[in-house]
Amino acid sequence: MPIITVTQINKYIGSKLKSDKILQGILVKGEISNFVRHYKSGHCYFSLKDSESVIRAVMFSAAASRLKFLPEDGMAVVVSGSVSVYERDGAYQLYVNDIIPEGKGKEGAALEQLRKKLEKEGLFALENKRSLPPTPAKIGAVTSLSGAAVRDIINVLSRRYPLCELYGVNTLVQGEDAPKSISEGIFKAEAAGCDVIIVGRGGGSSEDLSAFNTEIVARAIYNCKVPIISAVGHEVDNTIADLTADMRAPTPSAAAELASPDIRRIMESVDNYSMRIKKAGDLIMNGKLNEYSALYGRLTAQSPENRLKLMEEKIIGLRNRADRAAISCLDKNSAKLAEKIGRLESLSPLKVMARGYSLVYKNDRLVRSSDEVSEGDQITLRFGNGGAEAEIVKKW
């Protein structure tokens, strides 16, 4: 019996496995465990197991680069490949060409993984959503300018808000180049000074809408500084673009409704504000007029002219009072004087003399008694009317 080496044994077993058609190009169902992707080579190493057994598996970088999702431990999959021996270790393993998640296609798994990844990074967080401007001056539309979506947007804006400018950016909305075209269109609309951007297309199959489920479009929406409305024409599921955008609309027409105010309501608001401004203005004007009147009254009251006038009126009043007081005083004094005159007249010697009496003077002195004269004295007599000279002949 010939002696053979370990290498010869492994090579022989390997050739037997490769020649066995049953083990070539097979589909194997199992659960992934211990998944590792080598960061330098790009090769993927993992185990595929079921409830009773485990088989080692390897997926080289050429095949792994075609995967649209990243396999994870615990994922139930169906792999295609062939069984062979790794001669260095003498271990047989499954050489994998493709991996299909069980229960969903590769596209569905890739989409779910991308969704989880972006959600973990915060691209879908509500606190990062921006409010739409109430009255945008420029609205961007990133879509196919030959499709029905842009016509719907134009119709809505023409009816609701003809004051704004519509800035259209023509992009591919399906196919391999669509994600890059859409992301570049977003940044072009942002650079053009748009206040809000509508990104989307009309309805279609899930394959037609796949451009809006890509990471490059999601990051373009998230990194754009302008609020974005996702308007992908579908109702059932939200795309990645819908989840990332600041607002989601089921159709481009609905997006145009969200992006634009109704001109009729604006005009009603303008009329309402005009009335309120007029009322407020009238109220302010009336208040200022009242304030002016009060200040003018105070100023007038304090003006030198008015004070002189008041002083003049006061002087006139005082003069009138003085005149009245003087007249009253004169009247009183006149009455008193008349009374005194009456009394004096009643006591006047002239009055007495007018009744037949006379005055006797001796040497210009009034004689009151006969003792003051002697016989032969010269005296002067004064009557009520006139006088006379006399000599005392006899006295008694």
Side-chain angles (χ1 to χ4, degrees), residues 307-319:
R307 295 182 68 181
L308 287 173
K309 185 177 180 181
L310 292 175
M311 293 300 293
E312 181 182 2
E313 292 177 354
K314 186 175 182 180
I315 290 171
I316 292 173
L318 291 173
R319 185 175 65 188

Side-chain angles (χ1 to χ4, degrees), residues 37 67-71 75 77 99-101 106 109-111 113:
R37 186 167 190 169
L67 287 176
K68 294 185 178 180
F69 70 99
L70 182 65
M75 183 180 289
V77 296
I99 303 176
I100 303 171
K106 290 183 288 184
L111 179 59
Q113 280 194 342

Side-chain angles (χ1 to χ4, degrees), residues 268-287:
E268 290 175 359
S269 296
V270 169
D271 292 340
N272 183 42
Y273 281 121
S274 297
M275 292 179 61
R276 290 174 62 183
I277 290 171
K278 185 178 182 303
K279 289 181 179 178
D282 291 343
L283 185 61
I284 292 172
M285 182 61 71
N286 291 334

Side-chain angles (χ1 to χ4, degrees), residues 201-339:
R201 54 159 292 162
S205 64
S206 57
E207 290 78 12
D208 294 337
L209 307 180
S210 61
F212 298 92
N213 278 319
T214 57
E215 184 172 357
I216 185 174
V217 171
R219 295 199 181 277
I221 292 173
Y222 181 76
N223 293 322
C224 180
K225 295 180 175 61
V226 177
I228 290 181
I229 303 174
S230 176
V232 183
H234 63 105
E235 289 284 359
V236 180
D237 297 319
N238 288 341
T239 63
I240 296 293
D242 291 335
L243 297 173
T244 311
D246 299 288
M247 189 166 290
R248 182 240 178 186
T251 63
S253 296
E257 296 267 354
L258 291 172
S260 61
D262 191 338
I263 189 68
R264 293 171 298 181
R265 292 188 178 180
I266 292 178
M267 296 306 297
E268 290 175 359
S269 296
V270 169
D271 292 340
N272 183 42
Y273 281 121
S274 297
M275 292 179 61
R276 290 174 62 183
I277 290 171
K278 185 178 182 303
K279 289 181 179 178
D282 291 343
L283 185 61
I284 292 172
M285 182 61 71
N286 291 334
K288 292 301 180 182
L289 286 174
N290 292 335
E291 184 178 346
Y292 169 78
S293 298
L295 291 174
Y296 182 77
R298 289 174 60 188
L299 180 62
T300 302
Q302 298 297 324
S303 68
E305 181 182 359
N306 187 68
R307 295 182 68 181
L308 287 173
K309 185 177 180 181
L310 292 175
M311 293 300 293
E312 181 182 2
E313 292 177 354
K314 186 175 182 180
I315 290 171
I316 292 173
L318 291 173
R319 185 175 65 188
N320 292 335
R321 287 177 59 189
D323 290 345
R324 289 194 299 270
I327 292 171
S328 177
C329 183
L330 287 174
D331 290 342
K332 290 180 179 179
N333 289 333
S334 296
K336 290 181 178 180
L337 180 60
E339 181 185 357

Side-chain angles (χ1 to χ4, degrees), residues 13 44 52 66 87 107-108 119 125 154 167 188 190 217 249 251 253 268 295 302 317 331 349 352 354 373 394:
I13 295 173
C44 297
E52 298 179 358
R66 294 192 294 270
E87 294 180 3
E107 297 292 340
E119 182 177 15
I154 291 172
Y167 182 80
K188 184 176 180 181
E190 178 186 1
V217 171
T251 63
S253 296
E268 290 175 359
L295 291 174
Q302 298 297 324
D331 290 342
V352 175
V373 295
K394 186 180 180 178

